[in-house]
Amino acid sequence: MSAQSQQKDDPSAGSVEKFGVDVSLQPVIADPEHKFDVASIDLVQRRLKQRHVQMIAIAGTLGTGLFLGSGKALSGAGPLGALIAYALVGTVAYSSLCSIGEMTSHAPISGTFPHFAARWVDPALGFAVGWNYYYTNLMTVPVEITGAQLLITYWDSNSHHVAIYTTVISCLVILINVFGVRWFGEAEFVFAMIKLSMITGLILVGLVIDLGGAPNHQRLGFQYWKNPGVFAGAGLEPKHIGLDRFLGILSVLVQAAFSFQGMELVAVAASETENPRRNIAKAVRRVFYRICIFYLLGIFITGLIVPYNDPELLQSTGNAAQSPYVIAMTLAGIKVLPSIINAGILTSAFSASNSFLFCSSRILYGLSLRGQAPFIFTRCTSSGLPIVAIGFTGMFAFLSLMNVSSGSETVFNWLVNLTTVGGFFTWGSINLTYLFFYRGLKAQGINRKERLYYWNSLQPGLAIWGFTWCSIFILINGFEVFWSFKASGFLTAYINIPIFFGLYLFWKITKRTKVWKPEEMDFVTGVPTLEETESPEIPPTTFWQRVAAVLF
């Protein structure tokens, strides 16, 4: 794996105009065999607008993990335990998004972070990360479709209709993606508005219930924090209460991670986004507030209005009856809202499956552009839609039909665990890649604060934090199996580890790749300039334009 300085003897090569800054550097250009420059075959078009990107970043992957899974987290760890678990995973998700945000602001191109790993760490790591992420998102599509079908059982519990509902939802998800990225963007914009309205409404309703504004006029306050308490035990160490409560927090980390999974979607869409550097920088900066308001505040309110030992929390119905907010409304005597909430959660599950299909198809497209997947997946329509990648990926949506025979809950839980561990590998790899990216920029004398459209002053600390915790999450995610060992549980928890490293070793051995040294990293080839991607920003002039600028 060699890299060479371009035209070392040419004095004109010592000055590079990049992002509007003239820097006296000799850019490193990697050998063509690495396929860093794929502009001639990369045919996707930038059709996602600013409002699409911002709403996708805020609510694109809010799904059943938050609206239904928060109840499972509450029963597993208690109100404070669940809040701690969600806060910890939230910091890791935030660190990962900040890391990918910086790298994407430098190179808003197809392939995103799997390509970044291949470009700045090791081509073998890029191969492993890409296929791991593709598989993770691929399997999350039927997970969310299964969740959507389960939500319909709130109105129609006839088991003979399961296959019909599942097929219809799967076809609709595929069709939205086939219609093109503009349709995808508009659909996600509408779904995001519904989801944000619902989670905001649920938080407000929860606050009203807690303060005694419900029909029963019972003021709860922090009553449930006192009885039954702030921590729930895992039930693994009943003789050691402190240890059991700690294990309870660990037990809900996977559920918390599933709620956050997919936040990196906004970076995956960078190659199809108008003004990607400016819009993704805005999106990443606002994610911190999204985590605090929608996730942490939501979990906090949930812990105030439902006791963690409520028997309804243990019922895995898969529909709104399982939602802690619906349980709280039932306890408070509110009868109208549960059906409305179920409809809102249904749109969330549908939207999340739509987003994950988009995400996985673009990752497959990016891998094929650089020779790490069959070349046929690069084929696009005249409007820049990677139709073969979408069609192939869309077929796996019908895996959701497994729930017809195997039982919805069993399939759902199995796929959740399998995909979430893959998500930890994704976040860990993003943060590891950023550390190499940061080191390479520094070694080549490139000032990231001058060259990047977005940078975070807490780096590289954030990346170190994220990588460390992801490594810990991967190792402890299946700890419960060691108290009551089952081979199936062990495989579900840890099979991703040999799969990931198997992918890495396969590409490393067959292609004889090496880890890039900082002075060998290519920050130029195939990276569009600021002038190529960004148009002048038009300042808002009217009141509504200013409101839109704040929101989007």
Side-chain angles (χ1 to χ4, degrees):
M1 181 186 304
S2 62
Q4 58 192 24
S5 296
Q6 183 186 40
Q7 300 175 351
K8 289 186 177 180
D9 298 328
D10 182 0
S12 66
S15 179
V16 178
E17 184 80 17
K18 200 70 173 171
F19 307 118
V21 180
D22 189 55
V23 186
S24 297
L25 288 173
Q26 288 189 346
V28 175
I29 306 297
D31 290 336
E33 67 181 76
H34 298 298
K35 299 183 179 180
F36 287 170
D37 188 0
V38 293
S40 61
I41 57 173
D42 186 2
L43 303 178
V44 296
Q45 300 175 12
R46 301 189 185 276
R47 295 177 179 267
L48 287 176
K49 297 185 178 297
Q50 177 174 319
R51 61 186 176 87
H52 297 148
V53 174
Q54 299 308 317
M55 294 306 285
I56 288 172
I58 294 171
T61 52
L62 284 178
T64 54
L66 177 63
F67 293 113
L68 299 184
S70 56
K72 183 178 179 182
L74 179 62
S75 64
L80 186 56
L83 186 62
I84 291 172
Y86 269 76
L88 175 58
V89 176
T91 62
V92 177
Y94 178 68
S95 68
S96 304
L97 201 62
C98 289
S99 295
I100 195 176
E102 279 199 32
M103 294 186 289
T104 304
S105 73
H106 172 71
I109 53 180
S110 294
T112 185
F113 55 88
H115 172 59
F116 298 157
R119 188 182 190 112
W120 297 316
V121 184
D122 184 342
L125 181 64
F127 178 82
V129 171
W131 280 104
N132 171 77
Y133 189 68
Y134 176 70
Y135 163 77
T136 298
N137 282 269
L138 182 75
M139 297 308 295
T140 307
V141 175
V143 165
E144 291 290 354
I145 291 174
T146 299
Q149 177 272 314
L150 283 167
L151 288 160
I152 295 176
T153 62
Y154 187 80
W155 300 295
D156 183 2
S157 58
N158 190 331
S159 60
H160 298 294
H161 296 165
V162 170
I164 298 172
Y165 291 133
T166 302
T167 303
V168 170
I169 296 169
S170 300
C171 291
L172 287 175
V173 168
I174 295 170
L175 282 175
I176 288 178
N177 278 268
V178 168
F179 283 151
V181 70
R182 177 66 65 84
W183 281 86
F184 167 80
E186 294 296 348
E188 285 306 301
F189 180 81
V190 173
F191 289 141
M193 293 291 286
I194 294 173
K195 287 189 280 189
L196 291 180
S197 299
M198 186 173 70
I199 188 63
T200 303
L202 289 177
I203 289 172
L204 292 176
V205 169
L207 193 59
V208 169
I209 292 174
D210 185 65
L211 297 177
N216 63 2
H217 299 295
Q218 180 184 359
R219 183 183 177 90
L220 298 175
F222 284 85
Q223 172 184 322
Y224 295 138
W225 284 48
K226 298 174 183 177
N227 182 27
V230 293
F231 292 108
L236 300 174
E237 291 288 342
K239 295 182 180 179
H240 304 89
I241 302 300
L243 175 60
D244 198 48
R245 289 174 174 174
F246 174 71
L247 295 176
I249 296 174
L250 295 187
S251 70
V252 302
L253 287 174
V254 169
Q255 178 59 53
F258 185 68
S259 301
F260 285 100
Q261 187 174 319
M263 295 183 74
E264 62 283 345
L265 169 62
V266 66
V268 176
S271 63
E272 296 176 73
T273 301
E274 295 178 358
N275 305 307
R277 292 183 169 100
R278 181 166 68 239
N279 286 327
I280 288 173
K282 283 183 180 179
V284 172
R285 291 189 182 104
R286 292 173 180 176
V287 162
F288 176 79
Y289 304 103
R290 167 193 171 183
I291 292 174
C292 291
I293 296 173
F294 299 124
Y295 285 91
L296 301 188
L297 184 58
I299 290 294
F300 174 71
I301 294 295
T302 298
L304 293 178
I305 59 179
V306 181
Y308 73 73
N309 60 354
D310 189 296
E312 293 296 326
L313 287 175
L314 304 177
Q315 302 296 320
S316 298
T317 62
N319 57 41
Q322 183 184 340
S323 170
Y325 291 100
V326 171
I327 294 172
M329 290 174 192
T330 303
L331 292 174
I334 302 174
K335 300 179 180 179
V336 180
L337 290 178
S339 189
I340 298 174
I341 293 172
N342 196 70
I345 300 175
L346 176 60
T347 64
S348 297
F350 182 84
S351 168
S353 59
N354 190 36
S355 296
F356 285 119
L357 178 56
F358 172 88
C359 206
S360 52
S361 64
R362 272 28 177 210
I363 291 296
L364 180 61
Y365 173 74
L367 287 168
S368 63
L369 282 175
R370 295 174 176 88
Q372 294 185 324
F375 187 74
I376 191 173
F377 294 121
T378 63
R379 186 168 298 177
C380 293
T381 64
S382 58
S383 59
L385 183 72
I387 188 65
V388 178
I390 292 173
F392 177 78
T393 304
M395 291 191 301
F396 289 88
F398 294 103
L399 284 178
S400 52
L401 289 168
M402 289 169 61
N403 65 46
V404 175
S405 57
S406 302
S408 298
E409 181 186 350
T410 303
V411 175
F412 186 80
N413 291 333
W414 185 73
L415 293 177
V416 164
N417 289 329
L418 208 58
T419 56
T420 302
V421 179
F424 288 144
F425 272 106
T426 296
W427 288 351
S429 301
I430 288 172
N431 287 298
L432 177 64
T433 301
Y434 178 82
L435 293 174
F436 276 75
F437 171 78
Y438 181 90
R439 188 177 64 162
L441 290 178
K442 195 171 184 179
Q444 295 187 26
I446 302 174
N447 189 334
R448 50 190 271 275
K449 296 180 180 181
E450 294 178 357
R451 296 282 294 277
L452 302 182
Y453 211 100
Y454 166 78
W455 57 272
N456 192 299
S457 59
L458 297 178
Q459 293 286 21
L462 282 175
I464 295 172
W465 172 268
F467 177 75
T468 301
W469 276 107
C470 283
S471 302
I472 294 172
F473 291 160
I474 290 169
L475 294 176
I476 68 172
N477 87 92
F479 74 93
E480 293 162 303
V481 75
F482 296 106
W483 269 262
S484 179
F485 189 83
K486 291 182 180 178
S488 60
F490 180 82
L491 287 174
T492 300
Y494 294 107
I495 191 65
N496 269 85
I497 296 177
I499 289 175
F500 184 86
F501 287 104
L503 289 169
Y504 176 80
L505 291 174
F506 167 75
W507 199 255
K508 192 166 190 66
I509 293 171
T510 57
K511 300 296 181 179
R512 300 181 182 276
T513 66
K514 295 181 181 179
V515 177
W516 292 103
K517 297 177 181 178
E519 62 274 10
E520 294 177 339
M521 295 179 189
D522 185 343
F523 294 101
V524 177
T525 304
V527 177
T529 63
L530 189 70
E531 292 75 14
E532 290 176 301
T533 62
E534 313 299 306
S535 59
E537 187 170 13
I538 301 174
T541 55
T542 67
F543 171 77
W544 290 112
Q545 285 178 345
R546 293 189 184 97
V547 171
V550 171
L551 294 177
F552 309 125

